[in-house]
Amino acid sequence: SDSRSLPRLQNPYLEFGKKKDKMAAADTKVKEDLSRMKGAYGEKMIKKLKNMKVAVFGLRGAGIETAKNLLLAGPHTVMVHDDEKVKIEDLGTNFYLKESDVGKSRAEGSSQELRDINPNTYFSVHTGPVDTELLSGYSTVIFTELQAQWPMSKLVEFDAFCAKNGVKFIWTGIMGMHMAVFSDFGKNHEIFDTNGAPEKSIVITGVESCPAPYEKIEEFLEVHLPKFFDIKKMSYGNKKEWGVKLLEEKLGMKFDAKRKRSIQNREILDIAESNEKTQNQGKVATKITTEGARHLLSSGEWLKLEEIIMEKEGKEGKELKYEYGQEVENVNSLCQIKVHRSNPRVFYIGDTSKLGAYKNGGIGNQKKMSVYKDYGTLAEQLYNPQMEMNVQNFACAMSKFGGEVKLHLGLLAIMKFHEDKKAYPRLMNDDDAKAVVEIAKKIKEEKKLYFEVDEKLISKMAKFSTTETNAIAAINGGIVAQEAMKQTGKYSPISQWMHFDAFELSENTEPLEGKATRYSHYEALFGKDFVSTAHTSKFFLVGCGALGCEFLKNIAMLGLGSKGRITITDDDVIELSNLSRQFLFRRKHVGKLKSESSAGVVVEMNPELKNGMDVRKARVEPKTENLFNCKFWDDIDFVINALDNLKARVYMDGKCILHKKVLFESGTLGTQANSSVHIPHFTPSYAEGAPPGEGQGIAMCTLTQFPYEPVHCIEWSRAMFGNMFEDGPAAYMDMKNEGVEKFLEKVDGGDLTEGLTKLDNALKWAKLAQNAELKTCVKLSLDMYVTEYRDKVLDLIDNFPEDLKTKAGLPFWRGRKRFPVAQKVDPEYPVFQQFIWHTSCIFADVFGLVKNGEYPTMKETTELAAGFPVDKWVKKKVDVDEEGNEIKKTGLGQEELETLDKLKAEAKKFDVSKLPKVFPADFEKDDDTNHHIDWITSSSNLRADTRRIKRSERHECRMVAGRIIAAIATTTASITGFVFLELYKKLLGKKDVNDFNWATINLATNVLVYEMPADPKEKRSRKEYTTEIENNTTYKVEKNITCVPNKFTCYDFIDIKGDLNVAEFCKAFTEHKSIQGGLVVQDILAGKGVLYSATDVSVYEKKKAKAIQRVENAKNPKLKKMFQKNVDSAQAFIDSIKSQGKKKIFETYIKEAGPLVDPDQPFIVLDVLAKVDPTLPQWIKNLLPKAEKLK
């Protein structure tokens, strides 16, 4: 049907005459969970997305990937169009086409699967002509590739119409191993958030008026050179030369020729600003110094400054706002900043000199302000292109430097060829390729372009312009779909052309033979051997979630492993929240295993995978090494990780090191992602390059006493949830289920501090459970509110008054310590009512009082709370020192031990068999009816109120407390494409590590960095310095660390063969060629097991001799018997030490470290600690590393 009237329909849900069914489906909204997407995009962008209407033209690789990613995001409307007929080659990138679709239109073949992605988006297919009337009904239009209906001239016409009518226009094309994206967002496009990064908070430690910093070297020269100098006409070198001369003349400095050449402009300005004679005369700014190592802000950003105390108060007003350079009449305002070029703790605002000196305090909260940008039309940008500067392709070293303009000229030539011939250049056709090169030369001459005509590159672009690969399509589809979503105003649109290529991989010159197949494009680009190697590969894909789904789609498109083996595993089940980014799954899959479901879907995409598919449902970890055993590892060619946690990644990395397997790794966080390939002996391992700080928590004292960011309040609330609703009830149920006697044995057998807490909780809940009712729940809630939000705050104020000073004379309440405010206990207070209600509801669940999901109302809980008397505050000591650090207790004191004994005696009186059950809460972030996230939100915001911290939205609390990682489909798709580019290289047999690349992308800011991997981390011999204190004198200690062998890496092992005993092993170890002699084995370890520990037997021989002497001298039979036990004990140690060497290594390993999970594993891995052999001659010892004390 011709759906040109589609945009005017209220429910535009048309497809091939099935209007009624489709509209009904669209009108019935289906439950969805967008929590992961909200974590990346935020509520504001999600709301705007729901109103976005997008049209996608063309459904080859670029178009189908773009449409799929858009539908996963859930805009209001997605319309697709592609009337061209399906060819068998299209099945190599369009994953929704089947062989039975050949001859149909691409849109018809793809429509059913596209429609099923998101039932909450209006989806339609347009057939027939494409014109401006059709485009006017959409907020964004995306044209992919070139077709007869839209050659270059038509695209220029469409873009001009869109620019005039406020429609965002995007064109993209994939031509072999090259992709291009053009983006036109029109005039005055608003961007409310340029990068999507969270707004930052900083603490201020200093405010000082000073001469304004120089913007650039030109300003320094303008201020200090005579007016007749024409600085604008000076070259870069001249400007630097005059900057140095000014420093020499005004400051008397001297620079030699070498220093004059090496000095940078920023260094000149730093020197100039530090001296009164060369400072910026007549311009005043305010320098603000922040706490911490760096503030991570950028010039032009805005900060809301608060709580700064100056000598004078300044102008009053609610919404005061000052651009940089303006006089600031009240420092506690919204101010635009300029960062210091070299000091990461400093930034500048306008002049505050009239406000006097800085006294104390100050925080700054970043406020993202809208920016407005103009974009040129396609007509303006074709021959005068603005290239996206954040794309850096360092493949093949620096050979691609400036390559984007060469690619652009090739694209222009192919566009002109297509315009003239109504078709792309023919595949691998020399005549057409030569014609395109000539067109490029003509365009360069006629348009007077500075671009270089790279004939070899342009010829290759022309020969393969009709081909696509799954890797480039995945990269492109993620970028373009994200670009379309920038219509919402979040993130920075591409400025305005983006080019990327990997033509260095396309070296095939053999023409295609025989009948076309779904793999014809791969064969054309890379050759027959590539396709054969791909099909016979044996590999391991770990994880079938967001990354795993995209990898499996790419595997299906290439037929990877179809005649070899495709082992996939994932023990997780599909949840509703997965459907917004794990595109293989539909609502029918919720609750089913990811591995089995995803395998079934991709086999439908490419039935050839069926014979090679090996589906497993076990987690890969030490406990499953019997399933993923040595034989399994030895039989695979490489590993693709699709994991979402560091622990699992590091474990897989270790297995790949041990078995010498290439590992393809990737990870995403919102719009950011990275990929890496880890090749044994040639690149660092994953663990060596893992991001620092992962897994680090927030300091406990920050959580308990001195929060300063919203996240601290949320984390505190999550910990409190566990303490209140999980740990206490669980302790009681342990006592009930195990019986008092066994429970008390566990208390005595473990850490006594933890035992005391657990016993106290168990008894408290035992009493509460006996007569639990709604009043019980409300009273517990009230007590918690009073304790946490009133009494503990008043305790902190009482212990540390607002005007308190430290021993150093500094205010105690400074920097990140925020003076607290106690909350009022008032039943009329809405915040109080919400907290009491949510808390009471969860307690009611724990006591089993909630039937059929019917919770008490807020009115009921508020009325009950109002009826309870509230105790007066009683002072308590706070265990914090004068610097705000928590005073840690070690063990239990006498008073606490007595309390423990009393509680034990009390517990023994209970007959737990007669006590009722309780039901410990199990924190569940995805159930909106259980009050868990509502409680976290209420609790954390009350906590924030006590410290005057910004409150958090419910979805923010859910993200943090639920440990939800921000994840979106666009980033996931793109990064898997980069991984597959590296996989192509392995399949092509690339040996040189410099042929491989690591990728870093950020779709929010159009960052695409494609660089060569680093070398493996070598352990080198070196000197290390530490300090020691002896007799009140501090010494610098130099240690010479000798690495044996020097420059070894994590891939190097000492292999010792044979079923040896310990003595034989120690000899084989110390004599190994890698060790080079001179060492003795001190300890042999396997995990926590100790197989051998060298001990000086003479110590026990002396103890034995002394004990024998005491036996002989003792006259008392009892003493004689006791001393004889000492003799026997010493002899036992001596025998044990001497017998260590006779123990078999494998037997001892099993005894000490436990049995091997894989019984057929033909090796064990040991850690050996060695020291210098004490029997070496002194002259040799003198040559060995030693520590010298240097006073």
Side-chain angles (χ1 to χ4, degrees):
S1 63
D2 185 340
S3 62
R4 278 181 288 182
S5 60
L6 172 80
R8 292 186 287 276
L9 290 175
Q10 186 177 0
N11 293 307
Y13 217 100
L14 298 172
E15 176 146 8
F16 301 115
K18 299 180 183 178
K19 175 180 175 182
K20 186 175 180 180
D21 293 343
K22 299 303 170 276
M23 289 180 65
D27 286 337
T28 307
K29 291 295 179 183
V30 178
K31 184 181 178 183
E32 58 187 350
D33 182 348
L34 304 178
S35 57
R36 275 71 174 169
M37 203 160 69
K38 283 181 181 176
Y41 292 155
E43 291 277 9
K44 184 175 180 179
M45 181 176 172
I46 293 291
K47 287 177 182 177
K48 287 174 173 281
L49 267 178
K50 293 297 182 184
N51 293 318
M52 191 171 86
K53 297 179 180 180
V54 191
V56 180
F57 297 90
L59 289 175
R60 293 180 72 213
I64 198 70
E65 288 278 0
T66 300
K68 175 258 293 181
N69 293 330
L70 283 168
L71 284 161
L72 287 168
H76 181 277
T77 299
V78 173
M79 182 277 284
V80 299
H81 169 277
D82 195 334
D83 289 342
E84 294 203 352
K85 302 305 180 186
V86 176
K87 299 176 183 177
I88 189 64
E89 300 97 305
D90 291 338
L91 276 63
T93 50
N94 186 322
F95 37 86
Y96 286 148
L97 294 177
K98 299 177 174 59
E99 289 190 22
S100 58
D101 293 320
V102 174
K104 299 178 183 177
S105 75
R106 291 196 195 108
E108 183 182 356
S110 309
S111 61
Q112 184 61 51
E113 294 288 351
L114 286 171
R115 182 193 312 113
D116 290 345
I117 290 176
N118 195 335
N120 290 328
T121 291
Y122 292 108
F123 174 81
S124 65
V125 172
H126 169 73
T127 60
V130 176
D131 55 26
T132 54
E133 182 186 358
L134 176 66
L135 304 187
S136 66
Y138 297 93
S139 50
T140 302
V141 297
I142 303 166
F143 285 87
T144 67
E145 60 175 322
L146 300 168
Q147 286 194 11
Q149 279 209 64
W150 56 84
M152 179 173 66
S153 59
K154 204 68 179 175
L155 290 171
V156 169
E157 178 190 328
F158 288 159
D159 173 56
F161 172 83
C162 290
K164 186 177 179 181
N165 291 276
V167 179
K168 313 303 180 188
F169 178 92
I170 298 168
W171 176 83
T172 186
I174 296 175
M175 300 174 190
M177 299 305 289
H178 165 236
M179 72 160 199
V181 183
F182 170 75
S183 181
D184 177 10
F185 276 50
K187 303 299 181 187
N188 207 35
H189 171 66
E190 180 186 3
I191 308 170
F192 68 82
D193 184 348
T194 58
N195 57 22
E199 291 180 331
K200 303 179 185 75
S201 295
I202 52 102
V203 173
I204 293 164
T205 58
V207 179
E208 175 190 3
S209 289
C210 64
Y214 292 111
E215 292 280 343
K216 44 192 175 181
I217 189 77
E218 289 83 354
E219 188 179 3
F220 172 52
L221 299 179
E222 285 171 3
V223 171
H224 294 283
L225 283 176
K227 300 298 180 187
F228 57 79
F229 276 82
D230 192 347
I231 296 164
K232 291 181 180 178
K233 292 185 178 180
M234 287 184 183
S235 66
Y236 173 83
N238 288 149
K239 290 172 186 174
K240 186 168 81 167
E241 184 181 346
W242 277 106
V244 171
K245 284 182 180 179
L246 284 171
L247 296 182
E248 289 181 328
E249 290 174 8
K250 290 182 176 283
L251 304 181
M253 300 179 74
K254 295 295 179 187
F255 297 89
D256 60 27
K258 183 178 178 182
R259 182 60 178 140
K260 285 179 180 179
R261 286 194 302 271
S262 65
I263 194 168
Q264 302 294 313
N265 284 345
R266 59 179 176 77
E267 296 178 90
I268 294 172
L269 297 182
D270 284 346
I271 296 169
E273 288 171 4
S274 65
N275 195 291
E276 191 175 343
K277 293 180 181 178
T278 50
Q279 285 174 345
N280 198 346
Q281 299 167 0
K283 290 186 179 180
V284 181
T286 297
K287 180 171 79 173
I288 295 185
T289 306
T290 61
E291 187 177 81
R294 59 189 68 236
H295 51 60
L296 299 174
L297 299 166
S298 300
S299 291
E301 292 180 344
W302 292 81
L303 283 185
K304 179 67 173 74
L305 303 178
E306 299 174 279
E307 302 175 23
I308 300 174
I309 302 173
M310 303 292 286
E311 200 171 16
K312 299 175 184 175
E313 288 189 5
K315 180 181 177 180
E316 291 186 5
K318 287 185 179 180
E319 299 293 334
L320 298 176
K321 178 180 173 183
Y322 301 99
E323 293 182 355
Y324 176 74
Q326 282 185 299
E327 181 183 346
V328 177
E329 299 166 297
N330 186 334
V331 72
N332 291 307
S333 307
L334 186 62
C335 296
Q336 191 181 35
I337 69 165
K338 175 181 172 56
V339 301
H340 193 281
R341 72 182 66 81
S342 56
N343 188 337
R345 293 183 57 207
V346 167
F347 64 84
Y348 298 88
I349 62 171
D351 178 19
T352 63
S353 55
K354 290 184 180 179
L355 301 177
Y358 169 72
K359 296 179 74 175
N360 187 26
I363 59 170
N365 293 304
Q366 184 186 16
K367 297 293 180 187
K368 294 196 174 184
M369 308 290 284
S370 289
V371 296
Y372 297 85
K373 290 189 68 175
D374 291 340
Y375 293 85
T377 63
L378 183 58
E380 295 166 342
Q381 286 284 318
L382 273 175
Y383 302 108
N384 186 25
Q386 181 181 350
M387 298 296 177
E388 177 54 65
M389 299 305 294
N390 287 329
V391 178
Q392 300 175 42
N393 186 351
F394 295 117
C396 311
M398 294 299 288
S399 66
K400 292 200 175 185
F401 183 73
E404 64 275 3
V405 292
K406 298 176 186 178
L407 291 166
H408 192 74
L409 182 55
L411 174 64
L412 292 175
I414 291 171
M415 282 180 153
K416 183 71 172 78
F417 183 98
H418 181 272
E419 183 90 23
D420 295 340
K421 305 286 186 179
K422 310 301 180 190
Y424 282 103
R426 288 167 291 177
L427 178 63
M428 301 182 77
N429 185 281
D430 290 333
D431 292 338
D432 283 3
K434 287 176 184 176
V436 171
V437 171
E438 291 306 311
I439 292 171
K441 291 177 180 177
K442 188 176 180 181
I443 291 173
K444 174 181 169 65
E445 184 180 347
E446 289 179 352
K447 300 296 182 181
K448 296 183 170 52
L449 302 180
Y450 66 92
F451 311 155
E452 176 188 342
V453 179
D454 186 331
E455 293 190 24
K456 185 178 178 182
L457 174 64
I458 294 173
S459 177
K460 196 177 274 191
M461 290 174 69
K463 286 181 178 181
F464 297 112
S465 61
T466 57
T467 65
E468 289 186 323
T469 64
N470 62 313
I472 298 294
I475 294 168
N476 178 267
I479 291 170
V480 174
Q482 195 66 63
E483 187 70 9
M485 287 183 260
K486 292 174 186 175
Q487 176 217 311
T488 60
K490 187 158 188 175
Y491 309 139
S492 301
I494 292 170
S495 295
Q496 283 192 247
W497 283 96
M498 177 185 282
H499 289 279
F500 176 83
D501 85 291
F503 269 120
E504 64 275 9
L505 303 185
S506 306
E507 297 175 351
N508 180 49
T509 57
E510 295 180 11
L512 293 178
E513 296 176 356
K515 189 179 178 182
T517 72
R518 64 165 70 224
Y519 310 116
S520 290
H521 287 178
Y522 299 96
E523 187 178 330
L525 285 160
F526 311 125
K528 288 181 180 179
D529 290 345
F530 170 88
V531 175
S532 175
T533 303
H535 289 179
T536 56
S537 293
K538 298 176 182 178
F539 63 93
F540 190 17
L541 172 65
V542 189
C544 300
L547 287 165
C549 283
E550 293 290 338
F551 281 130
L552 281 165
K553 172 256 297 177
N554 292 338
I555 288 164
M557 296 301 93
L558 181 56
L560 188 66
S562 57
K563 296 177 182 177
R565 192 174 69 248
I566 310 161
T567 303
I568 67 171
T569 192
D570 197 317
D571 69 332
D572 200 6
V573 296
I574 299 157
E575 298 177 3
L576 186 63
S577 62
N578 300 149
L579 304 187
S580 66
R581 66 197 189 285
Q582 298 176 19
F583 87 102
L584 295 181
F585 307 137
R586 301 288 180 265
R587 278 154 180 78
K588 66 182 180 182
H589 294 121
V590 172
K592 297 179 180 178
L593 280 166
K594 289 183 176 179
S595 57
E596 293 177 350
S597 299
S598 59
V601 174
V602 294
V603 166
E604 288 182 14
M605 287 181 174
N606 185 350
E608 293 179 20
L609 298 187
K610 186 175 182 179
N611 292 334
M613 192 66 75
D614 173 18
V615 182
R616 307 196 182 190
K617 48 190 177 184
R619 184 174 299 185
V620 185
E621 57 184 348
K623 290 189 288 189
T624 57
E625 288 182 2
N626 59 324
L627 301 174
F628 305 102
N629 53 27
C630 286
K631 185 177 183 303
F632 168 82
W633 279 97
D634 291 340
D635 199 35
I636 59 175
D637 301 322
F638 53 87
V639 175
I640 304 173
N641 264 359
L643 295 161
D644 62 357
N645 69 88
L646 183 62
K647 184 179 179 182
R649 284 184 169 122
V650 170
Y651 173 76
M652 287 299 299
D653 182 54
K655 298 299 286 184
C656 289
I657 291 170
L658 188 62
H659 295 278
K660 298 181 173 57
K661 301 299 177 185
V662 175
L663 171 64
F664 296 95
E665 181 60 83
S666 56
T668 72
L669 180 62
T671 59
Q672 302 174 72
N674 57 67
S675 67
S676 53
V677 54
H678 303 278
I679 307 170
H681 298 290
F682 293 103
T683 69
S685 70
Y686 171 78
E688 288 175 326
E694 187 134 4
Q696 293 179 358
I698 301 165
M700 184 52 67
C701 202
T702 299
L703 285 185
T704 55
Q705 305 293 356
F706 304 111
Y708 56 87
E709 290 184 358
V711 68
H712 300 154
C713 302
I714 300 170
E715 290 285 10
W716 176 85
S717 292
R718 178 63 186 91
M720 287 297 295
F721 186 97
N723 293 340
M724 293 298 299
F725 308 120
E726 296 174 336
D727 298 345
Y732 162 65
M733 288 305 294
D734 279 352
M735 185 173 75
K736 176 174 171 56
N737 293 333
E738 294 177 1
V740 173
E741 191 175 334
K742 281 189 177 180
F743 181 76
L744 293 179
E745 283 177 10
K746 284 173 67 176
V747 168
D748 288 333
D751 181 274
L752 288 181
T753 304
E754 291 179 8
L756 175 58
T757 303
K758 189 169 184 178
L759 179 57
D760 188 35
N761 274 333
L763 292 175
K764 172 187 170 184
W765 278 86
K767 294 170 187 172
L768 290 168
Q770 292 181 63
N771 298 296
E773 55 181 339
L774 183 56
K775 278 188 177 180
T776 313
C777 303
V778 174
K779 183 65 169 69
L780 284 170
S781 307
L782 179 63
D783 291 345
M784 183 182 180
Y785 181 95
V786 171
T787 301
E788 298 299 336
Y789 305 115
R790 189 197 70 175
D791 292 358
K792 286 187 177 180
V793 176
L794 293 174
D795 290 338
L796 199 58
I797 294 170
D798 183 62
N799 281 258
F800 303 99
E802 190 170 9
D803 57 356
L804 181 69
K805 296 277 198 295
T806 65
K807 288 179 181 177
L810 298 170
F812 177 86
W813 296 102
R814 72 184 191 281
R816 300 192 183 278
K817 292 197 206 75
R818 302 180 61 72
F819 188 71
V821 179
Q823 297 299 291
K824 57 186 177 182
V825 184
D826 182 0
E828 299 297 321
Y829 186 32
V831 174
F832 171 88
Q833 294 175 0
Q834 290 167 4
F835 178 83
I836 297 297
W837 180 44
H838 295 311
T839 313
S840 299
C841 288
I842 299 175
F843 276 131
D845 255 339
V846 173
F847 286 121
L849 302 176
V850 178
K851 306 298 181 187
N852 300 319
E854 294 183 5
Y855 289 95
T857 64
M858 188 188 297
K859 183 180 178 183
E860 289 177 279
T861 56
T862 302
E863 288 174 354
L864 286 170
F868 288 110
V870 178
D871 295 334
K872 290 185 178 179
W873 166 61
V874 178
K875 292 183 181 182
K876 286 185 181 177
K877 191 174 186 315
V878 178
D879 292 328
V880 173
D881 64 22
E882 69 147 18
E883 289 299 329
N885 300 313
E886 190 173 13
I887 300 170
K888 294 183 179 178
K889 294 181 179 180
T890 53
L892 297 181
Q894 185 59 39
E895 186 178 337
E896 288 156 320
L897 287 170
E898 290 174 4
T899 301
L900 181 59
D901 289 336
K902 288 178 184 176
L903 292 177
K904 285 182 190 175
E906 187 180 343
K908 290 173 183 176
K909 297 176 184 177
F910 277 97
D911 181 359
V912 292
S913 63
K914 296 180 179 179
L915 294 176
K917 278 185 175 184
V918 297
F919 305 90
D922 182 9
F923 181 73
E924 176 50 65
K925 65 185 183 299
D926 293 324
D927 183 351
D928 289 336
T929 66
N930 63 10
H931 291 266
H932 292 188
I933 295 300
D934 296 304
W935 185 89
I936 294 286
T937 306
S938 175
S939 170
S940 61
N941 283 335
L942 272 165
R943 176 79 165 170
D945 292 344
T946 67
R947 302 307 195 275
R948 292 169 295 166
I949 298 170
K950 181 184 174 185
R951 293 179 132 242
S952 300
E953 297 293 333
R954 187 180 187 277
H955 79 273
E956 294 171 324
C957 294
R958 186 184 184 203
M959 292 293 297
V960 175
R963 309 287 187 263
I964 296 173
I965 298 172
I968 50 177
T970 50
T971 316
T972 307
S974 283
I975 204 62
T976 59
F978 282 107
V979 172
F980 258 68
L981 282 182
E982 303 314 300
L983 186 52
Y984 291 173
K985 296 170 186 177
K986 175 163 176 48
L987 297 173
L988 285 164
K990 300 285 184 182
K991 301 295 183 185
D992 188 346
V993 68
N994 293 322
D995 289 332
F996 292 85
N997 296 91
W998 291 7
T1000 301
I1001 64 173
N1002 186 342
L1003 301 188
T1005 54
N1006 313 307
V1007 169
L1008 193 168
V1009 179
Y1010 196 53
E1011 57 192 340
M1012 289 186 291
D1015 293 326
K1017 290 192 176 180
E1018 296 175 336
K1019 310 297 188 294
R1020 296 170 178 260
S1021 298
R1022 62 199 181 276
K1023 290 185 178 182
E1024 289 185 354
Y1025 298 92
T1026 57
T1027 55
E1028 290 183 8
I1029 299 174
E1030 190 177 299
N1031 298 325
N1032 294 323
T1033 303
T1034 302
Y1035 294 91
K1036 181 181 178 183
V1037 179
E1038 177 188 275
K1039 290 183 179 179
N1040 291 323
I1041 307 297
T1042 301
C1043 290
V1044 182
N1046 196 26
K1047 300 183 182 179
F1048 72 84
T1049 73
C1050 67
Y1051 301 108
D1052 295 315
F1053 287 81
I1054 295 172
D1055 296 320
I1056 296 174
K1057 293 181 168 50
D1059 185 13
L1060 311 176
N1061 63 30
V1062 170
E1064 291 168 338
F1065 172 84
C1066 292
K1067 186 173 185 294
F1069 175 84
T1070 55
E1071 293 178 356
H1072 194 277
K1073 62 181 180 180
S1074 296
I1075 298 298
Q1076 304 168 0
L1079 301 176
V1080 291
V1081 174
Q1082 187 72 18
D1083 295 293
I1084 304 174
L1085 310 171
K1088 294 181 180 179
V1090 180
L1091 279 66
Y1092 170 79
S1093 183
T1095 308
D1096 187 354
V1097 73
S1098 65
V1099 173
Y1100 291 97
E1101 287 174 341
K1102 287 176 183 177
K1103 286 184 177 182
K1104 177 186 172 184
K1106 193 172 182 179
I1108 289 171
Q1109 191 177 2
R1110 285 179 171 177
V1111 170
E1112 292 171 352
N1113 295 337
K1115 295 179 181 177
N1116 187 315
K1118 288 185 177 179
L1119 285 175
K1120 194 179 278 284
K1121 187 176 180 181
M1122 184 181 74
F1123 291 139
Q1124 184 58 48
K1125 283 184 178 180
N1126 291 344
V1127 173
D1128 297 341
S1129 176
Q1131 184 60 50
F1133 273 108
I1134 293 166
D1135 293 342
S1136 174
I1137 292 166
K1138 289 182 176 180
S1139 67
Q1140 280 190 106
K1142 298 176 183 178
K1143 295 178 183 175
K1144 289 287 188 180
I1145 281 285
F1146 280 91
E1147 290 176 9
T1148 310
Y1149 180 96
I1150 300 299
K1151 182 180 177 183
E1152 299 296 333
L1156 293 169
V1157 180
D1158 173 10
D1160 298 322
Q1161 181 174 305
F1163 60 85
I1164 54 176
V1165 181
L1166 303 172
D1167 290 322
V1168 178
L1169 305 183
K1171 67 176 184 179
V1172 175
D1173 187 348
T1175 65
L1176 288 175
Q1178 189 59 45
W1179 68 272
I1180 293 180
K1181 287 184 182 179
N1182 290 340
L1183 300 176
L1184 294 173
K1186 55 184 177 293
E1188 296 179 28
K1189 284 187 177 178
L1190 306 173
K1191 192 169 182 180

